[in-house]
Amino acid sequence: MIPKQSMGKRKNKNKYLFSIRNRIFVFAVLVTAIPSLSMGLLLQNMLQTTLEGKVKQKFVDSAQIMERELSLWLKKRVYDLTVFSNASIVSEAVTAYLKMPEERADDGKNRVPNIKILETYLSTLQHQFKGYVRIFVLSRTGSVIAASQSGGRDRPFTFPDDYIEQISDRQWFKGRAYIDSRDKSPLILIGVPLFLDQLYEYETLLAIEVRLTGLLSLLDPAKFGDSGDWTYQSLVDIKTGRQFLYGRGAKKVLSKINLSPFGDRQPLREYANGMGERLMGLVVPFRELGWGLFIAENYEKAFSGMIHARHRNIIIVCCFSVLMGIVAYLLTRQIMVPLSALTRGAERVAEGDLDVRLPVRRNDEIGFATTVFNEMVANLKLSKTKLEQLATTDPLTGLNNRKQVMGILRDHYAYYRRYKTAFSVLMLDVDHFKVVNDTYGHQAGDTVLKQVAEIFNENLRNVDSAGRYGGEEFLVILAESGVDESIQAAERIRKAVASHTFIHEEQEIQVYISVGISRIQNQDRDEQEVVGRADMALYRAKDEGRNRVVYQAADDQ
C-alpha cells in the first residue's frame, strides 16, 4: 500500500511537469530548435556552394590562361606554315606538279625533278624545327604529295574530316590528337592551304605533324599559382572526351576517369578514380580549339580545414540559435512576432515583390506601423508602375521609346555575338509628315503617328520590337529574320500604311512611309553600325521617290 504522503508528492510532481509554463517552455524549445537545425543545414549548403564556387572560379581562371597560351602556341605553328608556304621553292614545285598531266604526275620518273627538290626542302625545315615530326604537302583528299624524309613518309597520321569547314572559317585546319606508334607520345596535324586565292580555291595543303609534349610546361599547376600537390590537369578532346595529354603527376590520378563528350557548360562535380581518391573536378571547353581542359583537386586534402571550420560553425550557430530562441520567447515574444512579419515583408519588398500586404491584428504602435507599411507598399507599387511606363514607353504612340528600343537592340546584338542568331533592323519614316502638320494641324499629325503605331502592332510578330526613334521616325527589330523575310515584313507594313485611311475630325488623310532595311553582319563592331546602314537605306528610299523599301547590304554598297 502506497502512503498518502508519497501519493501527494507524486501529484505535485506531475502537476509541475505538466504545468502551462513547462508546456510553453517545451514548445519554445521545439519551435526554436527545429528552425535552428534547418538553418544549420542551410548554412552548410551555403558554405558548400560558396566553396565550390571559389574552386570553380579558380579552375575557370586557370583554363582561360591555358586557352590563351594554347591559342598562341597554335598561332605560332600556323605562322610558321604561312612562312613555309610563301617560299618560292614550294610554289614552283607545287605549280609544276599541278600543271603536269595526271598520267605523268603519277609516274615516279617524272615526279622526281619536281617533288624531290620539294622533299629535300621540307627535310631541311624539319631538321631546323625540332618540334616538328614531319612536314607534308598534301592533296585536297589528304594524300601525301611530298614529305620530309626524316619522319617516315608512309607512317599513318590523322587527317580531319572537317578541314574544309575549318579553312573556310580561319584559313587553317587542325586535326585530332593521335598517338605516335613509336614512342606513344601524342601528335597533332596542323595545315594551311597553298595558293589560296580570293575565291578561296586551292588544290594542295601544307601541313606539319607536331609533338604535343611541348605543351607539358603549360599543364604545370605551378604556372597558375598552385603548389601542384593536389591539383591535376589534362587536355581533353571535346568530341570524344578522350584525355590525350597529362600534366605533371596527373596521368596516374586522372587516367582512370572516363569523360564523356561535353557541351558548352560543365558543372563542377566529384569524380572517383581507380585509386579510390575523391576528386573535385571541372571540364572547361575551348570551342575554337576543339579541346578542353580537365582540372581536378584532391577534395579531402585541399578542403579539410574548411570542412572542419564549417562543422564548428554549424554547431556554434545551432547552440546560439537555441539559446537566443528561448530568451527571445521569454522576453520579447509579443514584440518579435509582429516585427518579424514586418521584416519579412520588407525583405520581399527589397527583392521587388510589391504585392505584400500584412494583416493588422493589433491596435497599438506595431499595428499602426503595419498599417503605414501597407500604405507605403501600395504607393510604391503605383509609383513604380508609372515610372516604368514613363521610362520605357513613348507617351504618344504607346510604343517603346528610343532609349528602350536601343536597349533591346543592344541585347539582340549581344545575343548575336554569342549565338550567331541573326536579326534585321527597319528604319521607317512617314513621307511628307511636315505637309500633314502644316495642312491639317499638329493634332492630326499626332493621330497619324498613333495609327501608324497600331499598324506596326498588327503586322509584327510577338518576338519583334518596335519603337519611336524620333519625330516621325520609327525603328523596328525583326528577330531571327533573313533578308527575304525582312523585305517581306517591310513591304507588308508599307502596303498596310498605304492602304489605310487616316481619319482626324472627319478629315481623311492619306500618308505613305519609306523603309530602310539592314541586317546584322559579322564585321559589325556594335549595334550602331546596323542602325547606320538602315538609316542609309532610308535616305536612299527617300531619294528614289519615297513610298518604297530599300535594303542596304553594306556601307559601301
Side-chain angles (χ1 to χ4, degrees):
M1 183 175 180
I2 302 176
K4 292 183 177 179
Q5 186 177 2
S6 300
M7 292 180 62
K9 290 182 179 180
R10 182 174 296 181
K11 287 182 179 179
N12 292 333
K13 184 177 181 180
N14 291 337
K15 181 178 179 181
Y16 176 76
L17 288 175
F18 295 99
S19 65
I20 299 297
R21 180 181 178 182
N22 287 345
R23 292 179 183 179
I24 294 176
F25 177 79
V26 172
F27 176 78
V29 170
L30 293 177
V31 168
T32 306
I34 293 175
S36 298
L37 292 176
S38 301
M39 184 178 65
L41 294 176
L42 178 61
L43 180 60
Q44 178 181 357
N45 292 332
M46 292 175 60
L47 291 174
Q48 181 72 20
T49 302
T50 303
L51 175 63
E52 292 180 357
K54 292 181 178 179
V55 172
K56 182 176 181 179
Q57 187 60 47
K58 182 178 71 172
F59 287 172
V60 171
D61 292 342
S62 299
Q64 290 176 348
I65 298 174
M66 171 66 73
E67 185 174 15
R68 288 195 296 268
E69 297 286 346
L70 289 176
S71 297
L72 291 175
W73 184 84
L74 282 172
K75 289 178 180 178
K76 177 62 173 61
R77 273 66 198 166
V78 173
Y79 174 78
D80 290 344
L81 280 171
T82 304
V83 174
F84 299 162
S85 65
N86 291 330
S88 58
I89 189 172
V90 176
S91 60
E92 292 172 0
V94 174
T95 302
Y97 173 80
L98 295 175
K99 290 181 178 180
M100 187 178 298
E102 184 177 355
E103 61 275 6
R104 294 185 60 195
D106 294 335
D107 186 358
K109 295 180 179 181
N110 291 312
R111 296 177 70 243
V112 170
N114 299 320
I115 303 305
K116 190 65 177 179
I117 297 174
L118 180 57
E119 290 182 338
T120 302
Y121 172 71
L122 297 180
S123 299
T124 303
L125 291 177
Q126 192 272 333
H127 285 296
Q128 293 177 355
F129 294 85
K130 299 301 181 182
Y132 298 164
V133 180
R134 289 182 290 180
I135 306 178
F136 303 98
V137 173
L138 306 175
S139 68
R140 287 177 63 96
T141 61
S143 59
V144 178
I145 297 175
S148 58
Q149 298 174 357
S150 60
R153 178 187 180 93
D154 298 327
R155 188 160 45 85
F157 56 89
T158 301
F159 189 73
D161 297 332
D162 61 342
Y163 78 98
I164 295 178
E165 290 80 3
Q166 294 188 47
I167 292 175
S168 299
D169 291 339
R170 55 196 180 192
Q171 296 190 4
W172 60 276
F173 69 89
K174 173 183 67 66
R176 293 186 180 179
Y178 56 96
I179 303 301
D180 191 341
S181 59
R182 298 174 300 177
D183 57 7
K184 306 304 180 182
S185 61
L187 303 173
I188 188 175
L189 191 72
I190 305 173
V192 297
L194 288 175
F195 312 136
L196 187 67
D197 59 19
Q198 295 181 351
L199 298 177
Y200 298 95
E201 294 292 337
Y202 52 90
E203 294 293 337
T204 56
L205 308 166
L206 181 64
I208 54 174
E209 187 179 51
V210 186
R211 200 178 302 278
L212 293 178
T213 50
L215 298 175
L216 287 176
S217 61
L218 302 180
L219 294 175
D220 188 356
K223 184 177 180 65
F224 309 108
D226 294 329
S227 64
D229 296 335
W230 308 319
T231 304
Y232 312 98
Q233 299 180 353
S234 67
L235 288 178
V236 187
D237 189 300
I238 288 180
K239 294 185 178 180
T240 63
R242 181 175 61 89
Q243 303 177 67
F244 58 85
L245 187 64
Y246 298 90
R248 176 168 56 88
K251 186 172 184 179
K252 181 179 179 181
V253 178
L254 303 181
S255 60
K256 299 297 183 180
I257 298 177
N258 294 323
L259 301 176
S260 302
F262 45 88
D264 291 334
R265 297 185 180 183
Q266 291 296 309
L268 183 71
R269 51 167 293 191
E270 290 188 22
Y271 294 90
N273 59 13
M275 304 168 57
E277 291 185 81
R278 185 185 179 191
L279 303 174
M280 184 67 72
L282 176 69
V283 181
V284 182
F286 305 152
R287 283 295 163 191
E288 293 185 359
L289 304 178
W291 297 345
L293 181 65
F294 180 37
I295 313 178
E297 282 191 351
N298 186 291
Y299 189 91
E300 286 80 4
K301 291 182 179 179
F303 307 142
S304 58
M306 182 64 73
I307 294 172
H308 294 158
R310 178 187 64 190
H311 292 163
R312 289 195 301 270
N313 290 338
I314 291 174
I315 293 174
I316 293 173
V317 169
C318 290
C319 294
F320 182 76
S321 299
V322 171
L323 178 61
M324 290 302 297
I326 295 172
V327 174
Y329 174 79
L330 295 175
L331 300 179
T332 60
R333 182 179 183 277
Q334 293 298 319
I335 298 176
M336 291 304 299
V337 170
L339 285 182
S340 297
L342 279 173
T343 302
R344 289 192 296 270
E347 290 175 350
R348 291 174 61 185
V349 172
E351 294 173 354
D353 184 4
L354 299 180
D355 294 325
V356 178
R357 184 167 184 84
L358 302 178
V360 180
R361 297 191 178 96
R362 302 174 55 159
N363 189 21
D364 55 11
E365 292 84 356
I366 295 179
F368 175 76
T370 304
T371 302
V372 172
F373 175 84
N374 290 333
E375 293 177 357
M376 179 191 68
V377 173
N379 293 332
L380 184 62
K381 182 178 180 180
L382 181 61
S383 300
K384 180 182 178 182
T385 302
K386 292 180 179 179
L387 286 174
E388 288 177 348
Q389 292 177 349
L390 291 175
T392 62
T393 304
D394 176 62
L396 176 62
T397 62
L399 299 176
N400 296 313
N401 58 20
R402 178 167 181 165
K403 179 180 179 181
Q404 179 70 7
V405 76
M406 292 305 294
I408 296 173
L409 181 60
R410 283 192 295 271
D411 294 340
H412 277 276
Y413 178 80
Y415 194 83
Y416 166 77
R417 280 300 176 198
R418 186 169 186 179
Y419 299 105
K420 298 301 180 184
T421 303
F423 63 92
S424 302
V425 171
L426 310 183
M427 185 72 76
L428 307 97
D429 184 84
V430 179
D431 296 334
H432 302 297
F433 185 73
K434 185 176 182 301
V435 175
V436 175
N437 285 334
D438 294 341
T439 304
Y440 302 99
H442 289 280
Q443 291 184 352
D446 292 345
T447 300
V448 168
L449 293 180
K450 291 179 183 178
Q451 296 184 19
V452 168
E454 293 175 359
I455 292 175
F456 291 165
N457 292 329
E458 294 172 357
N459 287 274
L460 293 177
R461 304 169 298 176
N462 292 334
V463 296
D464 301 330
S465 301
R468 188 179 181 187
Y469 195 70
E472 68 273 17
E473 283 190 345
F474 299 89
L475 185 70
V476 173
I477 304 170
L478 302 177
E480 301 182 8
S481 61
V483 175
D484 294 336
E485 294 172 336
S486 60
I487 294 175
Q488 292 173 3
E491 280 291 344
R492 184 169 61 251
I493 295 173
R494 184 193 65 81
K495 292 179 180 179
V497 173
S499 61
H500 182 78
T501 300
F502 297 82
I503 300 177
H504 176 73
E505 296 182 353
E506 299 182 356
Q507 289 182 327
E508 295 184 356
I509 306 172
Q510 184 69 48
V511 298
Y512 304 93
I513 62 171
S514 299
V515 186
I517 308 173
S518 67
R519 190 167 181 264
I520 188 67
Q521 297 181 2
N522 191 48
Q523 64 268 25
D524 289 341
R525 292 168 293 182
D526 55 31
E527 70 280 359
Q528 293 295 338
E529 294 194 9
V530 67
V531 174
R533 287 198 303 275
D535 198 40
M536 292 172 59
L538 177 60
Y539 277 109
R540 285 178 51 196
K542 295 286 188 181
D543 292 339
E544 294 174 9
R546 306 177 188 269
N547 188 25
R548 64 189 63 241
V549 172
V550 172
Y551 173 81
Q552 183 76 16
D555 294 341
D556 57 348
Q557 295 180 349

